[in-house]
Amino acid sequence: MADKIDRRKFLQLSAFSTPLFAAKKNFADNFSFLTFPIVISTWDTGMQVNAAAWKILSANGRAVDAIETGARHIEDTLNCCVGLGGNPDRDGIVTLDACIMDEHSNCGAVAGLEQIKHPISVARKVMETTPHVLLVGNGAQQFAIENGFAKEPAQLSESAEKAYKEWLKTSQYKPLINIENKKSGGPFAPNFLPNGTPNHDTMGLLAMDTKGNLSGGVTTSGMAFKLHGRVGDSAVIGAGLFVDNEVGAATSSGVGEEVIRICGTHLVVEFMRQGNSPEMACKKAVDRIVKRNPEKAKTLQVGFLAINKKGVYGAYAIQKGFVFSVKSGNENKIHESKYAIG
Ligand code: SD4
């Protein structure tokens, strides 16, 4: 109880003081610098996203605003893994999935959204102005347009068009593990392999603001060359994203179907509620996927990223290659996740 009161006082104080402070250290996790505000996000592209989100967090802004700002930044980046510049489905159409969740467990999502630049903001509109959680396809687009979002031309980015043409030569659909980060060397990894083989990428981000409140968001064009109408984990609350402001938050990247099957991020948060560190919680969720079908697990990638209410973060993936980016007062860097196979 005393601890709770102290912490509350501490958080109140923090809201009026400089946002860049180290609260205390906790060495229970491998990646554990208890500092907030903090923003963590999937992949090396997360460095750019974190920088955008940090502008909000460092000005004592709300975590959910930082999430939206960070996601919009990457959605604006052409020839990148998410947003309208991302890879299309097998019919050559870019369809976007996104979701957002705040500290009050409010949430909103869109799936299969076409020709709208900022699905994360549409998801937020769903969250804040409707009694619903998820809008899909034409309905989501209609809602976006009614709410002032511009309808963009149905046009593939240069890199997506190249990858799609290459893919059309065989039209073979075979999700692969995310191996691009081993090769790219740069901050913006392509989400297709040089020969056009289908690959995928996603931006999931989690933030804790100076008040200690958590929020998260995900935005993606989903698996490259997916069936038209396919929705992945990134639009599904409890799969690609879950936030419980009393416990922690989690997000995922990789083969969405595997994440949906185990309600992945909800599971990670529940593992944290049971007292597991973020890394251990992610590991237990990964183990659940691997255990279900160890042979299949060798052929795919899923990575979970989590943060708890103390600001401790951690990650775990099926395969080597999952990386994530962290920005706080103490650090600004890319971490390699531990993994189960390989
Ligand atoms: C999906 N989870 O659509 C997304 C893809 C992804 O790294 O995360 N790629 O299934």
Side-chain angles (χ1 to χ4, degrees):
M1 186 65 178
D3 188 45
K4 262 190 193 157
I5 292 167
D6 285 344
R7 180 166 169 78
R8 203 179 308 136
K9 266 192 197 154
F10 181 65
L11 293 177
Q12 281 168 354
L13 275 174
S14 75
F16 298 105
S17 60
T18 166
L20 311 179
F21 65 96
K24 66 180 177 184
K25 300 223 187 256
N26 176 335
F27 296 102
D29 233 42
N30 280 342
F31 312 114
S32 62
F33 295 92
L34 204 159
T35 305
F36 53 90
I38 181 170
V39 54
I40 62 177
S41 47
T42 53
W43 304 111
D44 46 4
T45 41
M47 291 294 279
Q48 318 285 321
V49 166
N50 289 353
W54 189 250
K55 288 184 188 146
I56 306 291
L57 293 174
S58 62
N60 285 326
R62 224 181 129 199
V64 72
D65 292 328
I67 294 294
E68 184 183 8
T69 302
R72 283 176 69 95
H73 173 85
I74 199 83
E75 288 169 350
D76 268 333
T77 309
L78 261 190
N79 294 324
C80 185
C81 45
V82 304
L84 292 176
N87 281 333
D89 62 22
R90 59 186 307 153
D91 295 347
I93 302 164
V94 177
T95 63
L96 306 176
D97 296 344
C99 67
I100 193 162
M101 193 161 185
D102 74 9
E103 73 273 25
H104 305 296
S105 296
N106 296 315
C107 48
V110 288
L113 180 62
E114 294 174 29
Q115 292 175 257
I116 301 290
K117 201 173 190 179
H118 291 299
I120 195 73
S121 296
V122 185
R124 186 167 181 179
K125 267 268 181 271
V126 173
M127 171 171 89
E128 289 179 343
T129 68
T130 81
H132 309 303
V133 168
L134 172 62
L135 295 183
V136 304
N138 290 343
Q141 191 192 59
Q142 189 186 324
F143 171 80
I145 291 165
E146 281 168 10
N147 280 279
F149 292 83
K151 190 171 173 187
E152 306 288 334
Q155 194 181 310
L156 293 184
S157 67
E158 211 179 296
S159 60
E161 188 166 0
K162 203 167 142 217
Y164 182 55
K165 280 187 180 150
E166 204 49 48
W167 176 79
L168 280 175
K169 289 179 186 165
T170 55
S171 303
Q172 191 196 19
Y173 183 65
K174 197 169 166 230
L176 289 182
I177 58 173
N178 294 81
I179 61 171
E180 66 272 28
N181 285 286
K182 286 182 199 160
K183 295 186 172 178
S184 72
F188 285 91
N191 65 333
F192 52 89
L193 305 178
N195 63 2
T197 316
N199 206 350
H200 43 90
D201 215 334
T202 287
M203 179 49 56
L205 58 161
L206 308 170
M208 184 186 267
D209 60 29
T210 47
K211 290 187 174 153
N213 284 326
L214 288 163
S215 292
V218 187
T219 182
T220 188
S221 52
M223 251 181 209
F225 320 129
K226 59 196 175 187
L227 275 178
H228 187 64
R230 178 262 186 192
V231 175
D233 57 328
S234 307
V236 180
I237 297 294
L241 175 72
F242 196 69
V243 178
D244 181 326
N245 203 40
E246 285 184 1
V247 176
T251 188
S252 61
S253 188
V255 179
E257 284 74 3
E258 297 300 322
V259 178
I260 292 172
R261 279 187 190 105
I262 63 158
C263 298
T265 54
H266 183 262
L267 188 62
V268 170
V269 171
E270 288 308 301
F271 281 139
M272 288 196 285
R273 193 192 305 279
Q274 291 166 13
N276 292 286
S277 70
E279 184 184 299
M280 183 52 73
C282 292
K283 180 182 182 318
K284 286 188 172 182
V286 164
D287 288 348
R288 182 98 40 116
I289 296 173
V290 175
K291 190 175 165 203
R292 204 179 64 80
N293 191 336
E295 275 313 301
K296 189 177 174 198
K298 286 182 192 160
T299 69
L300 52 88
Q301 174 68 308
V302 169
F304 290 108
L305 176 62
I307 184 167
N308 69 16
K309 194 58 184 165
K310 295 176 188 162
V312 177
Y313 58 86
Y316 212 85
I318 298 179
Q319 313 273 347
K320 184 172 166 55
F322 180 50
V323 298
F324 62 97
S325 305
V326 177
K327 170 78 184 127
S328 72
N330 280 359
E331 63 170 316
N332 181 22
K333 69 180 198 186
I334 300 169
H335 292 268
E336 262 184 61
S337 164
K338 288 185 186 166
Y339 49 91
I341 300 174

